[in-house]
Amino acid sequence: MQSLRTRRPSETRTVKRQASKLEKKPINKNVRKSTVDDKIKKRMSLRYAEISAPTEASVPDVPSVPIGLRPGAVRDPDELVLERASIREDPKVIDQRLLDKEDFDPDTYLKAKLANSTEAELRSLQSSLRSSKDDTAVELQRNVFKNYAEFVHISKEISVLENEVLELKESLSEWKSMPSLLHIDESASASERRRNVRSSIADLRVLYANQMQTLHTQIEGSAKFAPTTPGRHVIYEMDGIYALNAATYRVSNTVKFVVLDDSVLVAKRRRRNNGEGGRLVAERCWPLNEMLVLDTKDTATMTNVFKIRHQKETYVYRTEAPSDKKTLLGQFRQVAEELAIRKRREREGEHERRKSMWTSGDLRASMTLHPDKVPPLPDWMAELARKAGVDGDTSARDKSESDARFISDFSDDLTVAIALRSWERAVQLVEEGRAKVSSIPSLSAKLTPLTASLTSALLDALSAPGNRKNTAVSLIGHLLKLGQGPAARVTFLNARAGAVDRYVRAIRFEGHVGMYVHDLALVVFTGIKHTADWFLAGFVEHDMTSSQ
């Protein structure tokens, strides 16, 4: 056995080991070097585009991410509270909110509730609806009791307003028919119409009469102090004047001054139970030629005061503003001056009339007693009279002049009566005119159109729906006097038919046929009965009742 130390190097045995997987493979440095060189060359050979140059490529914006989807997004605490409150809200409150809506649909509500509800939920729904109904009834009753006084006050105001509207409607109808009643040509221009109105005595009479009628309607008792007389009219009105105590100068009440053409009317307001001002009541009236107006100087404690002295009484008044006092005293002075001028002219005219009457009376007496003392006419006057065919008798000319004056006065009186709706006076004038047509033939030219206008006005009044029995019978009587019986009969029956139709349309059908037929029969037969009674009372000649 040989020792290992004595073994020869050549004889050593070579042991082959397998290469492990972790052992690094030898790297070829030349290959790596060539790869790096290629990359460097490629990098150096690249050409970059100029970014600053404009390009046509449109790159869309990056869309924003919603807040709820962003990581770590925090929701608003108020939204969480609202969601929790809506989740915890009572179903009864939700139902009550649905019931309070104006566009509430009961069918849809019941379908939604009955679709997925148990018997217990339906009972709960029934009880909640009953409680809501009771609460609503109690609330409605409470509101009625709370607003009862206002409701009554508003109802009274509505009734007063309705009456005023009806009065306005009647006034408008009268105003509309005024041109035809006064024979005013509606096709005329405004200037011609204004000139005709100013120059027409009949128009002034109608205007003054309407003013006084309105005054008597507005102020209670004014007809006693200032009755309607020819020519009397209203010139100026002022309200809100304080009447003072003549001794203490304290305000006693509020009055209204109405200045007429010959007098001054004072009206005070009647106090109501609630302390508010009520209807105007006439207190006193002074003729302008018997009253004395005294202007009082202003002091530190009292301003805008004036006094009126009539006989032994003194009355003290105060206005709100100095301009009102100045205007009112100016009106007093102007109207008093005009009244004095008018009185002076009347006295002068009366004096001239009496003087001429005495002169003509002496001349006629001397001519009657001593016809030979009548001076003869000059030759030239006698020649002119002979050529004209006129002799000394002037009775025919006097008669024609008197007839013309009578026709003018008659037409004016009849026109005024028709305009004022004084039917009895108008019919009486027509009868008088018909009686005088034989002696005054020219009167028929004025009488015929005025009679037709009166007949039309009477038929219009008869066709009014709100007529009572007495009014209808009176109008029918006037039409019979004018010989318009057939027209009155047709108009009356048409008006009653319209009234019955209006009453029938007012019947409400509440679902019961028998009750509706009962109400219909009651209205129709009651209307027929009343129509027959009115017809027999108005048309006294019963032979006309068989024609309809």
Side-chain angles (χ1 to χ4, degrees), residues 190-329:
S191 59
E192 294 178 357
R193 191 179 304 173
R194 193 179 299 110
R195 184 169 59 253
N196 293 335
V197 169
R198 289 178 179 176
S199 61
S200 176
I201 300 176
D203 294 344
L204 289 177
R205 290 180 180 178
V206 173
L207 180 62
Y208 294 162
N210 290 336
Q211 284 185 352
M212 298 304 298
Q213 185 178 4
T214 304
L215 179 65
H216 296 164
T217 303
Q218 294 177 351
I219 301 177
E220 183 178 351
S222 59
K224 174 183 175 183
F225 292 98
T228 303
T229 57
R232 175 173 285 176
H233 59 281
V234 178
I235 295 179
Y236 185 74
E237 297 181 5
M238 180 175 287
D239 200 354
I241 300 176
Y242 300 104
L244 307 181
N245 192 334
T248 61
Y249 280 72
R250 291 184 178 179
V251 179
S252 58
N253 51 21
T254 305
V255 298
K256 178 180 181 179
F257 273 75
V258 181
V259 182
L260 303 174
D261 63 325
D262 59 349
S263 58
V264 177
L265 178 66
V266 180
K268 66 177 182 180
R269 291 195 177 274
R270 179 183 297 167
R271 293 184 178 179
R272 297 178 180 175
N273 297 329
N274 55 5
E276 297 179 357
R279 184 177 176 84
L280 287 170
V281 181
E283 186 178 13
R284 55 181 61 91
C285 183
W286 309 299
L288 281 170
N289 54 358
E290 297 179 5
M291 59 180 285
L292 179 62
V293 181
L294 302 176
D295 190 4
T296 306
K297 294 183 179 180
D298 296 340
T299 60
T301 58
M302 192 63 60
T303 57
N304 307 326
V305 177
F306 65 94
K307 298 180 181 179
I308 295 178
R309 185 175 298 170
H310 179 252
Q311 296 180 357
K312 296 182 180 180
E313 298 291 334
T314 301
Y315 306 94
V316 184
Y317 298 95
R318 180 171 65 87
T319 60
E320 189 70 25
S323 59
D324 296 341
K325 173 185 173 181
K326 183 178 180 181
T327 303
L328 185 61
L329 296 184

Side-chain angles (χ1 to χ4, degrees), residues 250-494:
R250 291 184 178 179
V251 179
S252 58
N253 51 21
T254 305
V255 298
K256 178 180 181 179
F257 273 75
V258 181
V259 182
L260 303 174
D261 63 325
D262 59 349
S263 58
V264 177
L265 178 66
V266 180
K268 66 177 182 180
R269 291 195 177 274
R270 179 183 297 167
R271 293 184 178 179
R272 297 178 180 175
N273 297 329
N274 55 5
E276 297 179 357
R279 184 177 176 84
L280 287 170
V281 181
E283 186 178 13
R284 55 181 61 91
C285 183
W286 309 299
L288 281 170
N289 54 358
E290 297 179 5
M291 59 180 285
L292 179 62
V293 181
L294 302 176
D295 190 4
T296 306
K297 294 183 179 180
D298 296 340
T299 60
T301 58
M302 192 63 60
T303 57
N304 307 326
V305 177
F306 65 94
K307 298 180 181 179
I308 295 178
R309 185 175 298 170
H310 179 252
Q311 296 180 357
K312 296 182 180 180
E313 298 291 334
T314 301
Y315 306 94
V316 184
Y317 298 95
R318 180 171 65 87
T319 60
E320 189 70 25
S323 59
D324 296 341
K325 173 185 173 181
K326 183 178 180 181
T327 303
L328 185 61
L329 296 184
Q331 289 292 335
F332 287 161
R333 187 181 304 106
Q334 180 181 356
V335 176
E337 292 175 356
E338 293 178 356
L339 178 62
I341 294 172
R342 189 166 65 250
K343 292 290 185 182
R344 185 173 66 251
R345 289 178 179 175
E346 290 178 359
R347 288 194 300 268
E348 293 176 356
E350 184 68 19
H351 178 69
E352 293 293 335
R353 187 180 65 83
R354 290 180 180 180
K355 185 177 178 180
S356 62
M357 182 176 63
W358 283 108
T359 304
S360 62
D362 295 340
L363 180 61
R364 288 177 183 176
S366 61
M367 290 172 61
T368 304
L369 297 176
H370 305 282
D372 54 345
K373 293 184 179 181
V374 178
L377 293 175
D379 296 338
W380 62 274
M381 290 184 65
E383 185 67 22
L384 289 176
R386 213 169 19 256
K387 289 181 179 180
V390 178
D391 54 0
D393 188 11
T394 59
S395 60
R397 183 171 56 188
D398 294 341
K399 184 177 183 305
S400 63
E401 292 179 356
S402 63
D403 291 346
R405 286 195 299 270
F406 174 78
I407 292 172
S408 178
D409 295 340
F410 173 80
S411 60
D412 290 344
D413 293 340
L414 184 54
T415 302
V416 171
I418 295 174
L420 296 178
R421 304 175 74 88
S422 300
W423 308 127
E424 186 174 358
R425 171 65 177 164
V427 173
Q428 183 180 359
L429 288 173
V430 170
E431 292 178 348
E432 293 177 359
R434 289 177 176 176
K436 292 186 177 182
V437 167
S438 58
S439 59
I440 308 176
S442 58
L443 180 60
S444 59
K446 291 283 187 179
L447 183 60
T448 302
L450 289 175
T451 305
S453 177
L454 176 59
T455 303
S456 177
L458 287 172
L459 292 176
D460 188 22
L462 183 60
S463 63
N467 287 335
R468 300 293 181 181
K469 180 179 179 180
N470 296 333
T471 306
V473 171
S474 176
L475 293 173
I476 291 172
H478 295 325
L479 288 169
L480 290 178
K481 290 180 181 179
L482 295 176
Q484 301 294 329
R489 182 177 68 253
V490 173
T491 304
F492 171 73
L493 293 178
N494 290 337

